[in-house]
Amino acid sequence: MKLYELCLTEAQALLQAGEISSVELTRAVLERISAVEPMVHAFLYCNCEQALVDAQRADVRRSAGGPVSPLLGIPLAIKDIIHVRGIPTTCGSRILEHYVPTFNATVIDRLQAAGAVLLGKTNTDEFAMGSSTENSAFGPTCNPWDLSRVPGGSSGGSAAAVAAYMALGALGSDTGGSVRQPAALCGVVGIKPTYGVVSRYGLVAFASSLDQIGTFGRTVADAALVLQTIAGHDPLDSTSLTDPVPDYVERLKKTDGLNGVRVGLPREYMVGGMQPQVEAVVLEATATLEELGAELVEISLPHTPYALPVYYLIAPAEASANLARYDGMRYGLRITGKDLWDTYHLTRGEGFGPEVIRRIMLGTYALSAGYYDAYYIKAQKARTLIRQDLERAFEKVDVIAAPTTPRTAFRIGEMVNDPLQMYLQDVFTLSTNLAGICGLSVPCGFASVNAADPGASTDLPVGLQLIGPALGEPELLRVAHVYEQATSWHQRSAPL
Ligand code: GLN
């Protein structure tokens, strides 16, 4: 086994036992990046030299003895929408192409304090708007399972980096599914925590009432370890919760299977339009949950059909306000025109890509006088109904099981001219963000692309989505971990 193939938990054990050093591990991962990154394009910036310096420092720190964080010396990748002081944050956008933040996001402060090694910044749809990374101004990322396909998005670079063994774990952001959906399409684990569990300070804002930083790993325990390190109250983010962070990893050790766990199967999530194999694989996964002791309970989330329109009113509305700051005055791109108005116009017209412009226009429209009540307020009311559906469901069940995505990874270019088809890729993940609760995707099988698609070179991963109530992470992670340990899907490697 190559060092870069180690999962985070395995690497941690070997580091701690003194059998490998962080420099060896980091060097192996950097070599892996040199070998496969030209095919995958997961990174927008590689922090190679600094990563080795950090690895060396981690080794010194470990040899000094004393208590160490589980992430000490572990190489991780960061979505390029989270600020790391001194290296560019582009958000996949021309408008921030040369922007270098002078401060760290809180999550980065915490990773650095833990001694993690930051490998670089990963590709994203522009300002995290998209489901495929094709909206990145710097070109798409390719799915390591089939390079002609998308890795999902918007955190597609992070998911692909973990799937291609170019990082042992990664950070992403999830506003409507952008951690879980690419995790599903790349065959890795992705967690979106409850709103407020992780500080958003230094995460570039897309839709502030929905955005949450999440984590990727090749196993549930790996993703949980990264989450453990970044979670917890931050006075710099007024929406960050003050609740103490439970020991997620300790909880995984509780081994009585899934006895007594009630798993809800929402009727509305298994309806028409899904790729038949995805549906079959997810149903099989729920049967496995039952075999492991869980009780399956059919539930109803009647307002589910409104999630998509509600999200595509609220997210663009918030985005239109958040993105007003990119005006060429303070930072980022500036194209000077004949007057102030012209400068705004040229800067934003050149700097933003078509999807971002579409969202700003949609959002501005929904917030404008005369339409505000009809669209924005209506959407907020429907959002409450969606949240109440879920609250009611969690009176009866502990977690909800559903597909993460309606289909496996699609071809690059297949949906770029059909925004509505693209929006539909998140139909199962949006409600979690609208309700502010937690969810994750765990590998649950493979679907071979049907005969109508003769170019298919391989089986493509399918994700099982598990959704938990607000602050339900400990049990959510445990259920996913028990499922994962009873199956072997997470052990398959992308054929790179
Ligand atoms: N794909 C969704 C969108 O385009 C969700 C994005 C996200 O979670 N950042 O808005």
Side-chain angles (χ1 to χ4, degrees), residues 282-327:
V282 170
L283 281 175
E284 220 170 283
T286 57
T288 304
L289 295 174
E290 194 173 26
E291 281 161 30
L292 290 165
E295 180 198 346
L296 302 184
V297 183
E298 188 176 290
I299 57 167
S300 174
L301 302 170
H303 296 94
T304 297
Y306 301 108
L308 196 76
V310 165
Y311 174 86
Y312 279 98
L313 283 164
I314 292 176
E318 293 183 15
S320 71
N322 276 327
L323 272 61
R325 71 189 68 169
Y326 306 105
D327 57 4

Side-chain angles (χ1 to χ4, degrees), residues 79 128-131 153-154 173-179 206 311-312 315 359 423 426 430 433:
K79 184 180 185 179
M129 297 176 192
S131 306
S154 60
S173 66
D174 191 312
T175 302
S178 279
V179 166
F206 161 15
Y311 174 86
Y312 279 98
R359 305 270 179 121
Y423 295 171
D426 296 304
L430 300 169
N433 301 73

Side-chain angles (χ1 to χ4, degrees), residues 48-107:
C48 311
E49 280 166 33
Q50 187 59 41
L52 279 172
V53 173
D54 291 347
Q56 221 152 12
R57 221 175 269 158
D59 287 334
V60 170
R61 194 162 140 192
R62 192 181 299 276
S63 62
V68 294
S69 150
L71 294 190
L72 181 64
I74 299 283
L76 301 176
I78 309 296
K79 184 180 185 179
D80 197 20
I81 192 166
I82 298 171
H83 291 324
V84 179
R85 184 182 11 217
I87 65 174
T89 301
T90 69
C91 298
S93 181
R94 292 271 171 228
I95 213 158
L96 285 180
E97 190 171 359
H98 304 293
Y99 172 70
V100 178
T102 54
F103 65 103
N104 269 343
T106 296
V107 292

